[in-house]
Amino acid sequence: QVQLVESGGGLVQAGGSLRLSCAASGRTISSSAMGWFRQAPGKEREFVAGIGWNSGMTRYGDSVKNRFTLSIDNAKNTVHLQMNSLKPEDTAVYYCAAGPYVATRPQPFQVWGQGTQVTVSS
């Protein structure tokens, strides 16, 4: 199975930018899609963005569309989430995940990263 390692979380002021990275490793990379979800205290886990590993097709949640950009580096088996124009409501723990296809629900994703905290101050 795939193993995921995240990096890039931190503290940023409203209007600022942050880039999250998720590196995938394993004997073989069989998962077809990578996704990002976030969860704030007391809230349900929310879909942020997803990308097809081979196709490069992307999908974004309504709350982050036009602000966040997802990309994939096939050579390094890494996905990047570029977050611009950050708002205090973006504050959450962000998780990357690998699964068979891009989904807006977390259940189809089989392998998850450890999560990284993103805090946006106002």
Side-chain angles (χ1 to χ4, degrees):
Q1 289 222 68
V2 177
Q3 299 90 45
L4 305 177
V5 179
E6 296 184 355
S7 61
L11 174 66
V12 66
Q13 291 191 90
S17 298
L18 206 61
R19 189 181 76 160
L20 305 183
S21 299
C22 181
S25 63
R27 292 183 185 179
T28 59
I29 307 299
S30 58
S31 297
S32 298
M34 301 288 289
W36 286 91
F37 293 79
R38 66 187 183 186
Q39 189 164 24
K43 305 291 185 180
E44 292 186 348
R45 191 162 295 189
E46 177 189 17
F47 173 76
V48 176
I51 187 168
W53 192 266
N54 295 320
S55 68
M57 296 295 181
T58 56
R59 186 174 183 177
Y60 298 93
D62 290 339
S63 63
V64 306
K65 196 171 297 181
N66 301 316
R67 297 189 297 120
F68 292 8
T69 303
L70 192 60
S71 62
I72 189 164
D73 184 344
N74 283 302
K76 294 186 175 181
N77 295 321
T78 300
V79 294
H80 303 284
L81 183 66
Q82 180 66 46
M83 305 185 295
N84 298 325
S85 301
L86 284 162
K87 306 173 181 179
E89 50 263 44
D90 294 318
T91 296
V93 177
Y94 284 69
Y95 301 89
C96 67
Y101 53 88
V102 175
T104 58
R105 296 283 186 174
Q107 287 84 357
F109 292 91
Q110 300 166 323
V111 182
W112 292 80
Q114 76 280 6
T116 185
Q117 177 71 47
V118 172
T119 302
V120 184
S121 62
S122 60

